[in-house]
Amino acid sequence: MKKVAFLINGVIKKYRSIVAEIENEFSNDFDCKLYSSKYAGQVRELASEAHRAGYEYIITVGGDGTVNETLNGVLSRFKQGEALDANSYDWESIKTVKFGLLPAGTG
């Protein structure tokens, strides 16, 4: 069964209805886990945690800030060395992670 992590901005509008919809649509066919942020910057930590837990599908639920935190959280797991350039990442391994977006930002 495919492992899917949903990283949800905990302050989005319609939070409860979106969570209910995700659970209804995905829980029967996938091994799903919902990660909900409680403070700014937490999605980055949750994304790293989800990847460490073996979730190969990472779905962001929120806006552009949540997407940014998600990508940075997962990418941090593939950083090699201290440099801050594109050559500092294991791009072959990054390709194994599938990202998705369920737009739910305020804009």
Side-chain angles (χ1 to χ4, degrees):
M1 187 174 283
K2 293 179 181 176
K3 294 182 76 166
V4 180
F6 288 89
L7 302 170
I8 304 172
N9 179 338
V11 298
I12 59 172
K13 294 179 182 178
K14 300 182 182 179
Y15 174 84
R16 288 189 178 129
S17 64
I18 290 173
V19 167
E21 183 178 350
I22 289 169
E23 290 173 341
N24 185 48
E25 294 295 324
F26 291 92
S27 62
N28 291 331
D29 299 321
F30 300 94
D31 176 5
C32 291
K33 182 164 183 180
L34 301 172
Y35 292 85
S36 180
S37 67
K38 295 182 175 69
Y39 54 86
Q42 188 182 20
V43 171
R44 181 181 172 128
E45 299 165 17
L46 296 173
S48 182
E49 179 183 325
H51 183 262
R52 190 173 28 258
Y55 288 90
E56 67 264 25
Y57 293 85
I58 309 287
I59 311 297
T60 302
V61 183
D64 59 338
T66 309
V67 170
N68 183 309
E69 287 186 37
T70 299
L71 293 174
N72 281 305
V74 173
L75 290 176
S76 70
R77 304 246 321 124
F78 297 100
K79 187 150 179 15
Q80 303 170 331
E82 298 299 317
L84 296 176
D85 61 23
N87 296 324
S88 304
Y89 294 89
D90 178 2
W91 293 105
E92 288 303 311
S93 294
I94 289 171
K95 290 179 189 178
T96 66
V97 182
K98 287 95 179 159
F99 292 99
L101 171 63
L102 178 57
T106 58

